[in-house]
Amino acid sequence: AQSVTQLDSHVSVSEGTPVLLRCNYSSSYSPSLFWYVQHPNKGLQLLLKYTSAATLVKGINGFEAEFKKSETSFHLTKPSAHMSDAAEYFCVVTGGATNKLIFGTGTLLAVQP
Amino acid sequence: SAVISQKPSRDICQRGTSLTIQCQVDSQVTMMFWYRQQPGQSLTLIATANQGSEATYESGFVIDKFPISRPNLTFSTLTVSNMSPEDSSIYLCSVETSGTFHNEQFFGPGTRLTVL
C-alpha cells in the first residue's frame, strides 16, 4: 500500500526567503511522486514529478524537489518565496498496478510581505 | 496538456435531492477520475471512469450513491444521489494524458457543493 505524510499543515515564510515543504512517502513499489498546488478557488496544478529518473526534479515557478530513497522523502523547496506562491500544496504518490493518485493532507503556505 | 471544464461550478442543494456534475475535456482521453475534497481535507478518489466500461469505485464509495456515466472520450458525469449535509464537498474530475510529465493528471476547477 502507498501513502504520503505531509509533516506540516501550515508553513509561513517571509517574501524572499526559502521555502521548504516536507513530505515522506511509503510505497511497496517503485513510486512516482508528485507535488500539486491549489490556489484559492482554482484547480489543481502539477508542479513537478519524480518517475525514477534524476533524483533532483525541477518544476515550474522555480520549485524543485529531491527524491531521497534512504529517507523516503520528497521535500519541496524554492530558494526565494514570492507572494504568488501562497497556496495549498499536496504531495502525491502513485505506483503499482494502477495509476491511482494518493494525496497527502496538504500544506498551506502563507507568504508574508 | 488538457483543458477541463466542470458544470456547475457551485450549487446549494436540499437534503434528499440529487445533483449531476458534468466534466468536459478538450481532447480525447482514455482515463477519467472523480475525486472528493471535503472541507479542510485532502482529495479522495471516488472512482475511475473509462469509456466503454463500468466505473471502478474505491472502497467506501458505491454506484447507487455516486453513479457515473462515460458516454464518450471527452465527457463524463458524476451524480451525487439522495444528498445529505455530509456530501458537502468539492468534487473534481481529472484526466490522465501524456504531457510534459509522462502520464500526468490534469484537474478540472471543481464543483463546490453545499447540502442544506
Side-chain angles (χ1 to χ4, degrees), chain B residues 19-84:
Chain B
L19 176 72
T20 295
I21 302 168
Q22 300 178 6
C23 179
Q24 180 76 52
V25 190
D26 69 342
S27 58
Q28 294 184 338
V29 295
T30 302
M31 300 185 74
M32 296 181 77
F33 307 86
W34 287 98
Y35 290 83
R36 180 175 73 182
Q37 186 177 21
Q38 294 177 297
Q41 299 197 23
S42 187
L43 280 77
T44 302
L45 180 64
I46 297 172
T48 302
N50 292 336
Q51 195 269 335
S53 63
E54 294 290 324
T56 303
Y57 289 82
E58 297 299 307
S59 176
F61 298 97
V62 295
I63 188 171
D64 289 346
K65 176 67 175 177
F66 297 102
I68 289 172
S69 78
R70 183 78 202 275
N72 57 52
L73 291 173
T74 63
F75 187 78
S76 178
T77 67
L78 170 76
T79 299
V80 186
S81 303
N82 188 25
M83 289 184 284
S84 66

Short mmCIF file of all heavy atoms in Angstrom, two decimals, chain B residues 19-84:
data_model
loop_
_atom_site.label_atom_id
_atom_site.label_comp_id
_atom_site.label_asym_id
_atom_site.label_seq_id
_atom_site.Cartn_x
_atom_site.Cartn_y
_atom_site.Cartn_z
N LEU B 19 -27.76 15.67 -7.55
CA LEU B 19 -27.09 16.65 -8.41
C LEU B 19 -26.17 15.91 -9.36
O LEU B 19 -25.41 15.05 -8.94
CB LEU B 19 -26.28 17.64 -7.59
CG LEU B 19 -25.47 18.65 -8.41
CD1 LEU B 19 -26.40 19.66 -9.06
CD2 LEU B 19 -24.42 19.36 -7.56
N THR B 20 -26.25 16.29 -10.65
CA THR B 20 -25.35 15.71 -11.64
C THR B 20 -24.31 16.74 -12.03
O THR B 20 -24.65 17.87 -12.41
CB THR B 20 -26.12 15.23 -12.87
OG1 THR B 20 -26.99 14.15 -12.48
CG2 THR B 20 -25.17 14.73 -13.95
N ILE B 21 -23.05 16.35 -11.93
CA ILE B 21 -21.92 17.21 -12.26
C ILE B 21 -21.33 16.75 -13.58
O ILE B 21 -21.11 15.56 -13.80
CB ILE B 21 -20.84 17.13 -11.16
CG1 ILE B 21 -21.43 17.53 -9.80
CG2 ILE B 21 -19.64 18.00 -11.51
CD1 ILE B 21 -20.54 17.20 -8.63
N GLN B 22 -21.09 17.71 -14.47
CA GLN B 22 -20.56 17.39 -15.79
C GLN B 22 -19.08 17.75 -15.87
O GLN B 22 -18.64 18.75 -15.31
CB GLN B 22 -21.31 18.17 -16.87
CG GLN B 22 -22.79 17.88 -16.93
CD GLN B 22 -23.49 18.72 -17.98
OE1 GLN B 22 -22.85 19.45 -18.74
NE2 GLN B 22 -24.81 18.59 -18.05
N CYS B 23 -18.34 16.93 -16.60
CA CYS B 23 -16.92 17.16 -16.82
C CYS B 23 -16.64 17.04 -18.32
O CYS B 23 -16.93 15.99 -18.91
CB CYS B 23 -16.09 16.15 -16.04
SG CYS B 23 -14.30 16.30 -16.26
N GLN B 24 -16.12 18.10 -18.90
CA GLN B 24 -15.84 18.15 -20.34
C GLN B 24 -14.35 18.39 -20.55
O GLN B 24 -13.78 19.29 -19.94
CB GLN B 24 -16.65 19.26 -20.99
CG GLN B 24 -16.45 19.40 -22.49
CD GLN B 24 -17.16 18.33 -23.29
OE1 GLN B 24 -18.36 18.10 -23.12
NE2 GLN B 24 -16.44 17.65 -24.17
N VAL B 25 -13.74 17.60 -21.44
CA VAL B 25 -12.32 17.74 -21.75
C VAL B 25 -12.16 18.17 -23.20
O VAL B 25 -12.97 17.79 -24.05
CB VAL B 25 -11.58 16.40 -21.54
CG1 VAL B 25 -10.07 16.59 -21.61
CG2 VAL B 25 -11.98 15.77 -20.23
N ASP B 26 -11.11 18.94 -23.47
CA ASP B 26 -10.93 19.47 -24.83
C ASP B 26 -10.20 18.51 -25.75
O ASP B 26 -9.91 18.86 -26.90
CB ASP B 26 -10.20 20.81 -24.78
CG ASP B 26 -8.74 20.66 -24.34
OD1 ASP B 26 -8.38 19.61 -23.76
OD2 ASP B 26 -7.96 21.60 -24.57
N SER B 27 -9.92 17.30 -25.29
CA SER B 27 -9.27 16.29 -26.12
C SER B 27 -9.74 14.91 -25.67
O SER B 27 -10.30 14.76 -24.58
CB SER B 27 -7.75 16.40 -26.02
OG SER B 27 -7.34 16.25 -24.67
N GLN B 28 -9.53 13.93 -26.52
CA GLN B 28 -9.96 12.58 -26.18
C GLN B 28 -9.00 11.93 -25.19
O GLN B 28 -7.78 11.94 -25.42
CB GLN B 28 -10.06 11.73 -27.46
CG GLN B 28 -11.16 12.21 -28.41
CD GLN B 28 -11.30 11.28 -29.62
OE1 GLN B 28 -10.39 10.56 -29.97
NE2 GLN B 28 -12.47 11.31 -30.24
N VAL B 29 -9.54 11.40 -24.14
CA VAL B 29 -8.73 10.76 -23.11
C VAL B 29 -9.34 9.43 -22.74
O VAL B 29 -10.56 9.27 -22.77
CB VAL B 29 -8.60 11.65 -21.85
CG1 VAL B 29 -7.83 12.92 -22.16
CG2 VAL B 29 -9.95 11.98 -21.26
N THR B 30 -8.50 8.50 -22.38
CA THR B 30 -8.99 7.18 -22.00
C THR B 30 -9.49 7.16 -20.57
O THR B 30 -10.59 6.69 -20.28
CB THR B 30 -7.88 6.13 -22.18
OG1 THR B 30 -7.44 6.14 -23.53
CG2 THR B 30 -8.39 4.74 -21.82
N MET B 31 -8.66 7.66 -19.67
CA MET B 31 -8.97 7.53 -18.24
C MET B 31 -9.42 8.86 -17.68
O MET B 31 -8.77 9.90 -17.83
CB MET B 31 -7.74 7.03 -17.48
CG MET B 31 -7.26 5.66 -17.96
SD MET B 31 -5.90 5.01 -16.98
CE MET B 31 -6.76 4.53 -15.49
N MET B 32 -10.57 8.82 -16.98
CA MET B 32 -11.06 9.97 -16.24
C MET B 32 -11.30 9.53 -14.81
O MET B 32 -11.63 8.37 -14.55
CB MET B 32 -12.35 10.52 -16.85
CG MET B 32 -12.17 11.08 -18.26
SD MET B 32 -13.68 11.75 -18.97
CE MET B 32 -13.77 13.33 -18.10
N PHE B 33 -11.13 10.46 -13.90
CA PHE B 33 -11.23 10.17 -12.48
C PHE B 33 -12.13 11.20 -11.80
O PHE B 33 -12.17 12.36 -12.21
CB PHE B 33 -9.85 10.22 -11.81
CG PHE B 33 -8.81 9.35 -12.47
CD1 PHE B 33 -8.07 9.83 -13.54
CD2 PHE B 33 -8.55 8.08 -11.99
CE1 PHE B 33 -7.10 9.03 -14.15
CE2 PHE B 33 -7.58 7.28 -12.59
CZ PHE B 33 -6.86 7.76 -13.67
N TRP B 34 -12.81 10.77 -10.77
CA TRP B 34 -13.61 11.67 -9.93
C TRP B 34 -13.09 11.62 -8.51
O TRP B 34 -12.90 10.52 -7.94
CB TRP B 34 -15.09 11.28 -9.97
CG TRP B 34 -15.77 11.63 -11.25
CD1 TRP B 34 -16.02 10.82 -12.32
CD2 TRP B 34 -16.29 12.91 -11.61
NE1 TRP B 34 -16.66 11.50 -13.31
CE2 TRP B 34 -16.85 12.79 -12.91
CE3 TRP B 34 -16.37 14.16 -10.97
CZ2 TRP B 34 -17.46 13.86 -13.57
CZ3 TRP B 34 -16.96 15.22 -11.63
CH2 TRP B 34 -17.50 15.06 -12.91
N TYR B 35 -12.88 12.83 -7.94
CA TYR B 35 -12.36 12.97 -6.59
C TYR B 35 -13.33 13.79 -5.75
O TYR B 35 -14.09 14.62 -6.26
CB TYR B 35 -11.01 13.70 -6.58
CG TYR B 35 -9.86 12.92 -7.17
CD1 TYR B 35 -9.64 12.89 -8.54
CD2 TYR B 35 -8.96 12.25 -6.34
CE1 TYR B 35 -8.58 12.19 -9.08
CE2 TYR B 35 -7.88 11.56 -6.88
CZ TYR B 35 -7.70 11.53 -8.24
OH TYR B 35 -6.62 10.86 -8.77
N ARG B 36 -13.24 13.59 -4.44
CA ARG B 36 -13.97 14.42 -3.49
C ARG B 36 -12.97 15.08 -2.54
O ARG B 36 -12.01 14.43 -2.09
CB ARG B 36 -14.94 13.56 -2.68
CG ARG B 36 -15.75 14.34 -1.66
CD ARG B 36 -16.77 13.45 -0.99
NE ARG B 36 -16.16 12.53 -0.04
CZ ARG B 36 -16.85 11.62 0.65
NH1 ARG B 36 -18.16 11.51 0.47
NH2 ARG B 36 -16.23 10.83 1.48
N GLN B 37 -13.19 16.36 -2.28
CA GLN B 37 -12.37 17.08 -1.31
C GLN B 37 -13.29 17.67 -0.26
O GLN B 37 -13.94 18.70 -0.50
CB GLN B 37 -11.54 18.17 -1.99
CG GLN B 37 -10.56 18.86 -1.07
CD GLN B 37 -9.69 19.88 -1.79
OE1 GLN B 37 -10.04 20.38 -2.87
NE2 GLN B 37 -8.55 20.22 -1.21
N GLN B 38 -13.39 17.01 0.87
CA GLN B 38 -14.24 17.50 1.94
C GLN B 38 -13.61 18.73 2.59
O GLN B 38 -12.38 18.93 2.50
CB GLN B 38 -14.50 16.39 2.95
CG GLN B 38 -15.33 15.26 2.34
CD GLN B 38 -15.54 14.10 3.30
OE1 GLN B 38 -14.60 13.45 3.72
NE2 GLN B 38 -16.80 13.85 3.62
N PRO B 39 -14.43 19.57 3.23
CA PRO B 39 -13.92 20.84 3.78
C PRO B 39 -12.66 20.66 4.63
O PRO B 39 -12.65 19.85 5.57
CB PRO B 39 -15.11 21.34 4.61
CG PRO B 39 -16.30 20.75 3.95
CD PRO B 39 -15.87 19.40 3.47
N GLY B 40 -11.63 21.38 4.28
CA GLY B 40 -10.38 21.35 5.04
C GLY B 40 -9.59 20.07 4.91
O GLY B 40 -8.64 19.87 5.67
N GLN B 41 -9.95 19.23 3.96
CA GLN B 41 -9.26 17.94 3.85
C GLN B 41 -8.64 17.76 2.47
O GLN B 41 -8.76 18.62 1.59
CB GLN B 41 -10.25 16.81 4.14
CG GLN B 41 -10.84 16.89 5.53
CD GLN B 41 -11.47 15.60 5.97
OE1 GLN B 41 -11.14 14.52 5.46
NE2 GLN B 41 -12.35 15.67 6.94
N SER B 42 -7.98 16.64 2.30
CA SER B 42 -7.30 16.36 1.04
C SER B 42 -8.27 15.71 0.06
O SER B 42 -9.46 15.56 0.34
CB SER B 42 -6.11 15.45 1.32
OG SER B 42 -5.34 15.29 0.15
N LEU B 43 -7.74 15.34 -1.08
CA LEU B 43 -8.56 14.71 -2.12
C LEU B 43 -8.62 13.20 -1.92
O LEU B 43 -7.60 12.57 -1.63
CB LEU B 43 -7.98 15.00 -3.51
CG LEU B 43 -8.29 16.36 -4.10
CD1 LEU B 43 -7.44 17.44 -3.47
CD2 LEU B 43 -8.09 16.33 -5.61
N THR B 44 -9.80 12.66 -2.15
CA THR B 44 -10.01 11.22 -2.09
C THR B 44 -10.62 10.77 -3.39
O THR B 44 -11.60 11.35 -3.86
CB THR B 44 -10.96 10.85 -0.92
OG1 THR B 44 -10.40 11.33 0.31
CG2 THR B 44 -11.15 9.35 -0.84
N LEU B 45 -10.06 9.72 -3.97
CA LEU B 45 -10.57 9.21 -5.24
C LEU B 45 -11.89 8.49 -5.01
O LEU B 45 -11.99 7.62 -4.13
CB LEU B 45 -9.55 8.25 -5.85
CG LEU B 45 -9.92 7.62 -7.19
CD1 LEU B 45 -10.04 8.69 -8.28
CD2 LEU B 45 -8.89 6.57 -7.60
N ILE B 46 -12.90 8.88 -5.80
CA ILE B 46 -14.20 8.21 -5.73
C ILE B 46 -14.20 7.01 -6.68
O ILE B 46 -14.54 5.89 -6.28
CB ILE B 46 -15.34 9.18 -6.12
CG1 ILE B 46 -15.42 10.34 -5.14
CG2 ILE B 46 -16.67 8.43 -6.20
CD1 ILE B 46 -16.38 11.45 -5.57
N ALA B 47 -13.86 7.27 -7.94
CA ALA B 47 -13.95 6.21 -8.94
C ALA B 47 -13.13 6.58 -10.17
O ALA B 47 -12.81 7.74 -10.40
CB ALA B 47 -15.39 5.97 -9.34
N THR B 48 -12.82 5.56 -10.94
CA THR B 48 -12.15 5.70 -12.23
C THR B 48 -13.17 5.36 -13.31
O THR B 48 -13.85 4.33 -13.23
CB THR B 48 -10.96 4.75 -12.33
OG1 THR B 48 -10.05 5.03 -11.26
CG2 THR B 48 -10.24 4.91 -13.66
N ALA B 49 -13.26 6.22 -14.32
CA ALA B 49 -14.26 6.04 -15.37
C ALA B 49 -13.55 5.91 -16.72
O ALA B 49 -12.97 6.88 -17.21
CB ALA B 49 -15.22 7.22 -15.39
N ASN B 50 -13.61 4.74 -17.29
CA ASN B 50 -13.05 4.53 -18.62
C ASN B 50 -14.19 4.38 -19.61
O ASN B 50 -15.21 3.75 -19.31
CB ASN B 50 -12.18 3.27 -18.65
CG ASN B 50 -10.92 3.44 -17.83
OD1 ASN B 50 -10.47 4.56 -17.60
ND2 ASN B 50 -10.36 2.35 -17.37
N GLN B 51 -14.03 4.94 -20.77
CA GLN B 51 -15.08 4.91 -21.79
C GLN B 51 -15.34 3.47 -22.21
O GLN B 51 -14.40 2.73 -22.50
CB GLN B 51 -14.68 5.77 -22.98
CG GLN B 51 -15.83 6.10 -23.92
CD GLN B 51 -16.00 5.09 -25.04
OE1 GLN B 51 -15.05 4.43 -25.43
NE2 GLN B 51 -17.18 4.99 -25.58
N GLY B 52 -16.62 3.10 -22.26
CA GLY B 52 -16.98 1.78 -22.72
C GLY B 52 -17.01 0.71 -21.66
O GLY B 52 -17.28 -0.46 -21.97
N SER B 53 -16.77 1.07 -20.42
CA SER B 53 -16.83 0.09 -19.34
C SER B 53 -17.42 0.72 -18.10
O SER B 53 -17.54 1.94 -18.00
CB SER B 53 -15.44 -0.48 -19.04
OG SER B 53 -14.59 0.54 -18.58
N GLU B 54 -17.81 -0.13 -17.16
CA GLU B 54 -18.36 0.37 -15.90
C GLU B 54 -17.27 1.06 -15.09
O GLU B 54 -16.11 0.66 -15.13
CB GLU B 54 -18.93 -0.80 -15.08
CG GLU B 54 -20.14 -1.49 -15.71
CD GLU B 54 -21.36 -0.60 -15.67
OE1 GLU B 54 -21.53 0.14 -14.68
OE2 GLU B 54 -22.14 -0.65 -16.63
N ALA B 55 -17.67 2.06 -14.36
CA ALA B 55 -16.72 2.76 -13.50
C ALA B 55 -16.24 1.84 -12.38
O ALA B 55 -16.97 0.95 -11.93
CB ALA B 55 -17.36 4.01 -12.91
N THR B 56 -15.02 2.04 -11.96
CA THR B 56 -14.44 1.28 -10.86
C THR B 56 -14.41 2.15 -9.62
O THR B 56 -13.75 3.20 -9.62
CB THR B 56 -13.01 0.83 -11.21
OG1 THR B 56 -13.02 0.07 -12.41
CG2 THR B 56 -12.42 0.00 -10.08
N TYR B 57 -15.10 1.71 -8.57
CA TYR B 57 -15.25 2.53 -7.37
C TYR B 57 -14.23 2.13 -6.29
O TYR B 57 -13.90 0.95 -6.14
CB TYR B 57 -16.67 2.38 -6.80
CG TYR B 57 -17.70 3.06 -7.67
CD1 TYR B 57 -18.23 2.43 -8.80
CD2 TYR B 57 -18.13 4.36 -7.39
CE1 TYR B 57 -19.14 3.06 -9.61
CE2 TYR B 57 -19.05 5.01 -8.19
CZ TYR B 57 -19.55 4.35 -9.31
OH TYR B 57 -20.45 4.99 -10.12
N GLU B 58 -13.81 3.13 -5.55
CA GLU B 58 -12.88 2.91 -4.44
C GLU B 58 -13.66 2.47 -3.21
O GLU B 58 -14.89 2.65 -3.12
CB GLU B 58 -12.10 4.18 -4.15
CG GLU B 58 -11.23 4.62 -5.30
CD GLU B 58 -10.18 3.59 -5.67
OE1 GLU B 58 -9.43 3.15 -4.76
OE2 GLU B 58 -10.10 3.21 -6.85
N SER B 59 -12.92 1.92 -2.27
CA SER B 59 -13.54 1.48 -1.03
C SER B 59 -14.26 2.64 -0.35
O SER B 59 -13.70 3.74 -0.22
CB SER B 59 -12.45 0.92 -0.10
OG SER B 59 -12.99 0.57 1.15
N GLY B 60 -15.49 2.40 0.05
CA GLY B 60 -16.28 3.44 0.71
C GLY B 60 -17.21 4.20 -0.21
O GLY B 60 -17.99 5.03 0.26
N PHE B 61 -17.11 3.95 -1.50
CA PHE B 61 -17.97 4.62 -2.49
C PHE B 61 -18.71 3.56 -3.30
O PHE B 61 -18.11 2.57 -3.71
CB PHE B 61 -17.14 5.50 -3.42
CG PHE B 61 -16.41 6.62 -2.71
CD1 PHE B 61 -15.09 6.46 -2.34
CD2 PHE B 61 -17.05 7.81 -2.42
CE1 PHE B 61 -14.41 7.48 -1.68
CE2 PHE B 61 -16.39 8.84 -1.77
CZ PHE B 61 -15.07 8.66 -1.39
N VAL B 62 -20.02 3.78 -3.50
CA VAL B 62 -20.83 2.80 -4.22
C VAL B 62 -21.58 3.45 -5.36
O VAL B 62 -21.90 4.65 -5.33
CB VAL B 62 -21.82 2.10 -3.26
CG1 VAL B 62 -21.08 1.28 -2.24
CG2 VAL B 62 -22.74 3.10 -2.59
N ILE B 63 -21.91 2.64 -6.34
CA ILE B 63 -22.54 3.13 -7.56
C ILE B 63 -23.92 3.71 -7.29
O ILE B 63 -24.31 4.68 -7.95
CB ILE B 63 -22.60 2.01 -8.62
CG1 ILE B 63 -23.08 2.54 -9.97
CG2 ILE B 63 -23.49 0.86 -8.15
CD1 ILE B 63 -22.97 1.55 -11.10
N ASP B 64 -24.67 3.19 -6.34
CA ASP B 64 -26.01 3.70 -6.07
C ASP B 64 -25.96 5.14 -5.55
O ASP B 64 -26.87 5.91 -5.79
CB ASP B 64 -26.72 2.82 -5.05
CG ASP B 64 -27.10 1.47 -5.63
OD1 ASP B 64 -27.05 1.34 -6.87
OD2 ASP B 64 -27.42 0.57 -4.85
N LYS B 65 -24.90 5.48 -4.85
CA LYS B 65 -24.75 6.82 -4.29
C LYS B 65 -24.08 7.77 -5.29
O LYS B 65 -24.44 8.94 -5.36
CB LYS B 65 -23.90 6.73 -3.02
CG LYS B 65 -23.57 8.07 -2.37
CD LYS B 65 -24.82 8.74 -1.80
CE LYS B 65 -24.43 10.01 -1.06
NZ LYS B 65 -25.64 10.73 -0.55
N PHE B 66 -23.15 7.26 -6.06
CA PHE B 66 -22.37 8.08 -6.99
C PHE B 66 -22.36 7.47 -8.39
O PHE B 66 -21.30 7.08 -8.90
CB PHE B 66 -20.93 8.25 -6.49
CG PHE B 66 -20.79 8.95 -5.18
CD1 PHE B 66 -20.55 8.23 -4.01
CD2 PHE B 66 -20.89 10.33 -5.11
CE1 PHE B 66 -20.42 8.89 -2.79
CE2 PHE B 66 -20.74 11.00 -3.89
CZ PHE B 66 -20.51 10.27 -2.73
N PRO B 67 -23.51 7.38 -9.05
CA PRO B 67 -23.50 6.83 -10.41
C PRO B 67 -22.70 7.72 -11.36
O PRO B 67 -22.76 8.94 -11.27
CB PRO B 67 -24.98 6.77 -10.78
CG PRO B 67 -25.66 7.69 -9.83
CD PRO B 67 -24.86 7.72 -8.58
N ILE B 68 -21.98 7.07 -12.25
CA ILE B 68 -21.09 7.76 -13.19
C ILE B 68 -21.44 7.32 -14.60
O ILE B 68 -21.68 6.15 -14.85
CB ILE B 68 -19.62 7.43 -12.88
CG1 ILE B 68 -19.16 8.11 -11.58
CG2 ILE B 68 -18.70 7.84 -14.03
CD1 ILE B 68 -17.80 7.68 -11.10
N SER B 69 -21.43 8.28 -15.51
CA SER B 69 -21.57 7.95 -16.93
C SER B 69 -20.31 8.38 -17.66
O SER B 69 -19.64 9.34 -17.27
CB SER B 69 -22.79 8.63 -17.54
OG SER B 69 -22.53 10.00 -17.80
N ARG B 70 -19.98 7.66 -18.73
CA ARG B 70 -18.82 7.99 -19.57
C ARG B 70 -19.20 7.65 -21.00
O ARG B 70 -18.73 6.67 -21.56
CB ARG B 70 -17.60 7.19 -19.10
CG ARG B 70 -16.34 7.52 -19.84
CD ARG B 70 -15.69 8.80 -19.39
NE ARG B 70 -14.82 9.34 -20.40
CZ ARG B 70 -13.55 8.97 -20.58
NH1 ARG B 70 -13.01 8.06 -19.81
NH2 ARG B 70 -12.84 9.53 -21.54
N PRO B 71 -20.03 8.50 -21.61
CA PRO B 71 -20.57 8.15 -22.93
C PRO B 71 -19.57 8.26 -24.07
O PRO B 71 -19.77 7.62 -25.12
CB PRO B 71 -21.69 9.18 -23.11
CG PRO B 71 -21.29 10.34 -22.26
CD PRO B 71 -20.59 9.75 -21.08
N ASN B 72 -18.52 9.07 -23.91
CA ASN B 72 -17.52 9.19 -24.97
C ASN B 72 -16.17 9.57 -24.36
O ASN B 72 -16.04 9.64 -23.12
CB ASN B 72 -17.97 10.21 -26.02
CG ASN B 72 -18.25 11.58 -25.42
OD1 ASN B 72 -17.41 12.12 -24.70
ND2 ASN B 72 -19.43 12.12 -25.69
N LEU B 73 -15.19 9.85 -25.21
CA LEU B 73 -13.82 10.05 -24.73
C LEU B 73 -13.55 11.46 -24.24
O LEU B 73 -12.43 11.77 -23.84
CB LEU B 73 -12.83 9.69 -25.85
CG LEU B 73 -12.75 8.21 -26.20
CD1 LEU B 73 -11.86 8.01 -27.43
CD2 LEU B 73 -12.21 7.40 -25.04
N THR B 74 -14.55 12.35 -24.29
CA THR B 74 -14.33 13.72 -23.84
C THR B 74 -15.28 14.16 -22.74
O THR B 74 -15.25 15.31 -22.31
CB THR B 74 -14.48 14.71 -25.02
OG1 THR B 74 -15.83 14.65 -25.51
CG2 THR B 74 -13.52 14.38 -26.15
N PHE B 75 -16.12 13.28 -22.24
CA PHE B 75 -17.19 13.71 -21.34
C PHE B 75 -17.49 12.65 -20.29
O PHE B 75 -17.43 11.44 -20.57
CB PHE B 75 -18.46 14.01 -22.17
CG PHE B 75 -19.58 14.62 -21.39
CD1 PHE B 75 -19.58 15.96 -21.07
CD2 PHE B 75 -20.66 13.84 -21.00
CE1 PHE B 75 -20.63 16.54 -20.37
CE2 PHE B 75 -21.71 14.40 -20.30
CZ PHE B 75 -21.71 15.75 -19.98
N SER B 76 -17.85 13.12 -19.10
CA SER B 76 -18.28 12.24 -18.03
C SER B 76 -19.19 13.00 -17.09
O SER B 76 -19.12 14.24 -17.00
CB SER B 76 -17.08 11.69 -17.25
OG SER B 76 -17.50 10.85 -16.17
N THR B 77 -20.07 12.28 -16.42
CA THR B 77 -20.89 12.88 -15.38
C THR B 77 -20.79 12.06 -14.10
O THR B 77 -20.62 10.84 -14.14
CB THR B 77 -22.37 12.99 -15.76
OG1 THR B 77 -22.93 11.68 -15.87
CG2 THR B 77 -22.55 13.74 -17.07
N LEU B 78 -20.90 12.78 -12.98
CA LEU B 78 -20.98 12.16 -11.66
C LEU B 78 -22.26 12.67 -11.02
O LEU B 78 -22.49 13.88 -10.98
CB LEU B 78 -19.79 12.56 -10.80
CG LEU B 78 -19.87 12.19 -9.31
CD1 LEU B 78 -19.60 10.71 -9.11
CD2 LEU B 78 -18.88 13.02 -8.49
N THR B 79 -23.10 11.77 -10.54
CA THR B 79 -24.30 12.16 -9.82
C THR B 79 -24.11 11.87 -8.34
O THR B 79 -23.65 10.79 -7.97
CB THR B 79 -25.53 11.40 -10.35
OG1 THR B 79 -25.71 11.73 -11.74
CG2 THR B 79 -26.79 11.78 -9.58
N VAL B 80 -24.44 12.85 -7.52
CA VAL B 80 -24.46 12.65 -6.07
C VAL B 80 -25.93 12.47 -5.70
O VAL B 80 -26.73 13.41 -5.85
CB VAL B 80 -23.84 13.84 -5.33
CG1 VAL B 80 -23.75 13.52 -3.83
CG2 VAL B 80 -22.47 14.17 -5.89
N SER B 81 -26.29 11.27 -5.27
CA SER B 81 -27.69 10.91 -5.10
C SER B 81 -28.12 11.02 -3.64
O SER B 81 -27.32 10.84 -2.71
CB SER B 81 -27.91 9.46 -5.57
OG SER B 81 -27.52 9.29 -6.90
N ASN B 82 -29.42 11.32 -3.46
CA ASN B 82 -30.00 11.35 -2.12
C ASN B 82 -29.07 12.05 -1.14
O ASN B 82 -28.61 11.48 -0.16
CB ASN B 82 -30.30 9.92 -1.66
CG ASN B 82 -31.08 9.87 -0.37
OD1 ASN B 82 -31.80 10.82 -0.02
ND2 ASN B 82 -30.93 8.80 0.38
N MET B 83 -28.80 13.30 -1.43
CA MET B 83 -27.76 14.04 -0.72
C MET B 83 -28.09 14.31 0.74
O MET B 83 -29.26 14.50 1.12
CB MET B 83 -27.47 15.35 -1.44
CG MET B 83 -26.76 15.16 -2.77
SD MET B 83 -26.34 16.72 -3.56
CE MET B 83 -27.93 17.20 -4.19
N SER B 84 -27.04 14.35 1.52
CA SER B 84 -27.12 14.74 2.93
C SER B 84 -26.04 15.80 3.17
O SER B 84 -25.13 15.96 2.34
CB SER B 84 -26.89 13.54 3.84
OG SER B 84 -25.57 13.07 3.71
#
